[in-house]
Amino acid sequence: MKYNKIKNIDKEVSLLGFGCWALSKHGWKDVNQMEAIKTLEKSIELGINFFDTAPIYGFGKSEEILGEVTKSIRKDIVIASKFGLRWNEWGHVTHDLSRDSILFEIEATLKRLKTDYIDLYQIHHLDNKTSLKTVFATLSELQEQGVIKGVGVSNFKLEDLKQATDLCDISSIQNQYNMLQINDEKDILPFCQKKDISYISYSTLAQGLLSEKVKKGYKFAKMDIRKFNDLFHDNNTFDKIESLKAPNKPLIESAFEYVIKQESVKSILVSTTKVKNLEENIKLINKLSNK
């Protein structure tokens, strides 16, 4: 496994990162939670050391599972979590980046993850009401206390990222990036390269479309995160996928290669709940890393 440096984080991170959303089952179709946990354990055995989660994933369940599995090896891994999405007892979600909310969330996250620090703490989404100056002042305090190491952002546009870099030493940005969704190539990725900001891709396989595990005619489950992905509502998506296929080369290999060729990309997140798929992904990443 190849490992890369993200500034302000002590350990290098695996090029293939483990996306932990599906561990909670919430929002994902046909997930066997016990099998998903075994896959998480196997990923550690096979060299993955970078795990990305968030409180909102299963309303805390993802963090709880990750914390339980990794509590005995905490110093050997890198955990990224997020903040900014709160929920009430009825599951209603609100955006909140206020100081009080950040302090509440970090305490709850540390408890669920069974740790006393977070390697990479990321703004999940902007709330369009709290100033970034306030947000980063709070995060700076947490850094000084040693509660968080690196500060990251997620789902940011270029203008937001520029403002953030004026206020804080930003370690990373985590955005949606894959062969079908390439908007960040025109501005975010070049800016990251210029400013030494590590880029972490999520939806690297377009929620299964580029692994060809999700086929044309896919039926949404009642609570299915894919409902909110424009690709699943675009009649041209599968024609685009066909056009991306190369002779004698699995599409998933092309998908991985496309993203990791970007110099700013330090880790690509893939949410995997089956050991077989995990092993195949690691084999491909190792092959591409050795080219």
Side-chain angles (χ1 to χ4, degrees), residues 2 15-16 177-180 182 185 189 201 204-205 210 244-265 268 270 280-281 283-291:
K2 181 180 179 183
L15 177 56
L16 180 60
Y177 180 52
N178 56 62
M179 289 176 85
L180 292 165
I182 61 173
E185 290 179 5
L189 281 160
S201 68
T204 310
L205 296 176
L210 294 174
L244 294 172
K245 292 181 179 179
N248 305 314
K249 190 175 186 179
L251 179 60
I252 187 173
E253 181 175 345
S254 298
F256 282 150
E257 188 172 32
Y258 186 89
V259 176
I260 66 174
K261 72 180 180 182
Q262 295 282 352
E263 286 188 48
S264 298
V265 172
I268 63 173
V270 178
E280 290 173 355
N281 292 346
K283 185 177 179 181
L284 281 173
I285 290 296
N286 288 342
K287 173 185 174 182
L288 293 169
S289 299
N290 292 326
K291 274 192 172 183

Side-chain angles (χ1 to χ4, degrees), residues 209-247:
L209 290 169
L210 294 174
S211 68
E212 299 188 274
K213 299 282 193 303
V214 176
K215 307 289 187 181
K216 192 171 185 177
Y218 173 83
K219 302 296 183 184
F220 295 118
K222 184 178 180 181
M223 299 290 290
D224 197 326
I225 194 61
R226 292 183 174 101
K227 286 180 182 177
F228 303 101
N229 189 329
D230 291 342
L231 293 174
F232 287 85
H233 303 283
D234 183 345
N235 293 330
N236 297 316
T237 291
F238 285 93
D239 290 335
K240 292 176 186 174
I241 290 171
E242 285 300 316
S243 72
L244 294 172
K245 292 181 179 179

